[in-house]
Amino acid sequence: MAGKMWAGRFTKEVDERVNDFNSSISFDARMYRYDIEGSIAHATMLGECGIIDIDESRKIIEGLKSILADIDSGKLQFDPTAEDVHMFVEAELTKRLGDTGKRLHTARSRNDQVALDVRMTLRAETKEIITLVKKLEKTILDIAEKNLTTVMPGYTHLQRAQPITFAHHLMAYANMLLRDISRLEDCFKRTNIMPLGSGALASTTYPINRQRVCDLLDFDEITQNSLDGVSDRDFCIELCSAISMLMMHLSRFSEEIILWCSWEFKFIELDDAYATGSSIMPQKKNPDVTELIRGKTGRVYGDLNTLLVMMKGLPLAYNKDMQEDKEAIFDAVDTVKLCLKTFDPMLATMKVIPENMRNAAAKGFINATDCADYLVKKGMPFRDAYKITGTLVHTCIEKGCTLETLPLEEYKKLTDNFGEDVYDAISLDTCVMQRKAAGGPAPESVKAQIEYVKERI
Ligand code: ARG
């Protein structure tokens, strides 16, 4: 502790408990690559602007590169007693270069440095998450293409409602994920803004060139206000919010898979590699992956809440509370990546059981709307047609049959508008094929939906 960089003002050493409490190296060490890349850009600019000697700038850059290589190779280990990754790298540089190393932090504060590091880290993470979501999209499209005519019941209130196809159902998720990608891309734009040069809060008196650092680090633009530059964590919250929404979609999808693989539905069967057994019940095959995704969604919502509450009362500019941003956003990022990486192959290997979907669709009178529509097409007002069909369903329930097996005389008892062609009108295949409106379940319509998503990923 005697080695604290800010020790000059103090007459005592920091209490060990405070030192441990204060330290963030255990969770910010993962940003080392960006911390070093940021420092290399900063040192380059300092040298070019004549703020430090150009030779010293070169030595600093070489030193930083060697530190990066040594961390990468495992030769250099993080010191757990260091205050944070920034202090660790700077101390190591000074150990290697002596006084020259001490010049790196000219015209910079840890406040703008950490803002830079977090932005660079999340920029990379966001790209990775987008790639994973696109991969999942491709898996969904593959399964959808194979199931364009796989009839299944569509539900409202978890009650069989109208016939759709499995492809149509899957494409609902493909569209949700498309919006998730768009949210992530949008949030990327606001993350990709360069804060270095904001200093501690009031920029600097040195003649720095922020645009140069921005270009070197491949940012879109520089932050426009130094107070905002060091105290904004909107980009973390925005990413966490986009991830929360993505998790919500994965969780709903998971919930359906949990239902579908139950004996009550048996619409699908999970591959043995993506299910688990029970320690006591030999017959069990449990959908743990999907249950965990559903569970972890709550955890990510917790991260979002942590960030929102952490920020809401902070006066400008930097406050130490903000050090808490990293564990929350990194947890959200790690969790969603883990979920996507597991969910995708689980989905890809899952076996679809079309017969069971079709059998379920054949029960539950899900063609009742089509029966009413049949009468409307014969000239009857929809409300009357609706009532007659309701009566027919009632008759079927009493007789223990379906609309397809109910004799024509029963139909004719209610209205003469019914003819032999009613059976064709209410057949499951007709019900699906006729719903060719844009967005509907008819194979041609779902094909268009598949094309739409394909073009956008
Ligand atoms: N470890 C700190 C964080 O994550 C770095 C910034 C420290 N700044 C300060 N003024 N103490 O927020």
Side-chain angles (χ1 to χ4, degrees):
M1 261 151 285
K4 282 270 183 253
M5 286 182 189
W6 35 258
R9 190 222 177 278
F10 292 78
T11 53
K12 278 186 181 174
E13 287 192 2
V14 172
D15 183 282
E16 206 174 307
R17 284 160 296 197
V18 173
N19 196 58
D20 292 345
F21 187 61
N22 218 17
S23 171
S24 55
I25 189 128
S26 63
F27 51 85
D28 65 18
R30 71 187 263 168
M31 305 195 298
Y32 75 89
R33 177 174 314 283
Y34 305 111
D35 190 76
I36 294 173
E37 282 174 10
S39 287
I40 290 175
H42 181 64
T44 307
M45 181 278 291
L46 290 179
E48 286 172 1
C49 294
I51 297 168
I52 62 171
D53 181 79
I54 193 77
D55 283 335
E56 287 199 292
S57 151
R58 283 189 194 121
K59 276 187 197 134
I60 290 173
I61 294 165
E62 285 320 307
L64 287 166
K65 283 183 180 164
S66 72
I67 292 173
L68 180 58
D70 289 351
I71 299 176
D72 277 345
S73 70
K75 215 161 115 191
L76 177 61
Q77 306 281 322
F78 293 107
D79 169 9
T81 67
E83 199 170 311
D84 52 32
V85 68
H86 328 293
M87 290 294 211
F88 172 76
V89 172
E90 196 185 330
E92 182 62 29
L93 187 72
T94 304
K95 219 190 267 173
R96 295 185 183 198
L97 302 184
D99 282 350
T100 299
K102 294 185 196 162
R103 297 196 191 277
L104 168 65
H105 210 52
T106 313
R108 187 176 73 171
S109 154
R110 261 188 305 156
N111 296 351
D112 54 354
Q113 189 179 358
V114 71
L116 176 77
D117 292 8
V118 176
R119 282 176 183 272
M120 287 178 74
T121 307
L122 295 187
R123 196 164 71 156
E125 297 288 7
T126 305
K127 275 192 186 159
E128 206 181 317
I129 297 169
I130 292 174
T131 306
L132 289 169
V133 181
K134 286 189 176 171
K135 188 154 181 290
L136 176 59
E137 284 279 39
K138 287 195 190 105
T139 303
I140 294 175
L141 295 182
D142 274 354
I143 308 175
E145 266 166 350
K146 290 183 194 121
N147 287 281
L148 286 165
T149 56
T150 307
V151 174
M152 74 178 277
Y155 296 82
T156 62
H157 314 269
L158 201 55
Q159 300 287 320
R160 289 172 193 152
Q162 289 181 340
I164 55 169
T165 65
F166 191 48
H168 188 224
H169 197 112
L170 289 175
M171 288 313 292
Y173 285 106
N175 278 281
M176 294 176 224
L177 295 178
L178 203 56
R179 292 193 294 278
D180 288 320
I181 293 172
S182 140
R183 262 184 288 274
L184 289 164
E185 285 171 346
D186 204 46
C187 149
F188 182 91
K189 289 185 215 153
R190 281 177 290 278
T191 304
N192 202 22
I193 302 177
M194 210 289 297
L196 209 65
S198 299
L201 74 161
S203 79
T204 176
T205 53
Y206 292 99
I208 57 170
N209 182 350
R210 295 188 63 205
Q211 191 53 49
R212 176 71 175 133
V213 177
C214 177
D215 296 340
L216 283 170
L217 296 174
D218 203 23
F219 277 91
D220 288 334
E221 55 177 317
I222 60 171
T223 52
Q224 293 299 313
N225 175 287
S226 61
L227 289 164
D228 185 41
V230 290
S231 59
D232 155 40
R233 292 294 182 273
D234 308 8
F235 60 98
C236 295
I237 299 177
E238 216 179 325
L239 177 60
C240 202
S241 156
I243 293 175
S244 296
M245 202 92 77
L246 170 54
M247 286 297 299
M248 183 261 287
H249 293 146
L250 293 180
S251 183
R252 290 187 79 179
F253 204 165
S254 294
E255 168 61 16
E256 297 212 289
I257 289 172
I258 293 164
L259 287 173
W260 292 340
C261 71
S262 71
W263 281 107
E264 283 68 15
F265 280 78
K266 263 291 168 260
F267 287 0
I268 57 127
E269 172 140 15
L270 293 174
D271 190 86
D272 280 359
Y274 293 94
T276 50
S278 153
S279 58
I280 171 170
M281 298 166 281
Q283 84 283 14
K284 289 297 282 295
K285 183 167 170 185
N286 295 329
D288 284 21
V289 168
T290 40
E291 290 170 69
L292 268 175
I293 291 173
R294 201 175 52 184
K296 285 178 190 290
T297 301
R299 167 188 177 141
V300 171
Y301 294 174
D303 293 328
L304 176 60
N305 202 42
T306 297
L307 291 170
L308 285 167
V309 177
M310 176 193 87
M311 290 304 287
K312 82 178 185 58
L314 297 187
L316 301 185
Y318 178 84
N319 298 269
K320 189 76 173 198
D321 315 42
M322 287 155 68
Q323 178 165 286
E324 294 282 313
D325 60 353
K326 284 171 274 305
E327 279 166 295
I329 189 61
F330 294 162
D331 181 68
V333 159
D334 293 343
T335 304
V336 76
K337 287 198 300 187
L338 204 61
C339 290
L340 287 164
K341 282 179 192 167
T342 323
F343 189 79
D344 179 45
M346 183 209 66
L347 199 68
T349 53
M350 149 187 116
K351 194 177 115 204
V352 181
I353 312 175
E355 317 82 80
N356 291 352
M357 293 187 182
R358 198 181 174 90
N359 289 341
K363 291 176 218 144
F365 306 102
I366 65 177
N367 46 5
T369 315
D370 298 85
C371 180
D373 287 343
Y374 167 89
L375 291 175
V376 170
K377 281 171 198 153
K378 300 257 161 163
M380 193 179 273
F382 180 76
R383 275 294 155 228
D384 296 339
Y386 174 96
K387 206 163 170 188
I388 288 176
T389 310
T391 311
L392 285 169
V393 169
H394 185 79
T395 311
C396 288
I397 292 169
E398 281 193 328
K399 290 187 178 294
C401 67
T402 62
L403 286 171
E404 290 93 319
T405 53
L406 186 71
L408 191 58
E409 327 65 282
E410 294 291 338
Y411 280 94
K412 291 241 184 233
K413 274 187 201 163
L414 293 171
T415 164
D416 255 349
N417 282 317
F418 280 120
E420 194 61 49
D421 57 347
V422 68
Y423 294 107
D424 183 44
I426 61 167
S427 94
L428 281 182
D429 292 310
T430 313
C431 295
V432 169
M433 296 300 166
Q434 289 311 311
R435 286 185 159 75
K436 10 178 193 217
E444 60 201 273
S445 168
V446 175
K447 259 189 214 156
Q449 296 167 41
I450 292 175
E451 282 316 306
Y452 181 94
V453 174
K454 248 189 207 164
E455 271 167 34
R456 280 158 184 79
I457 57 167

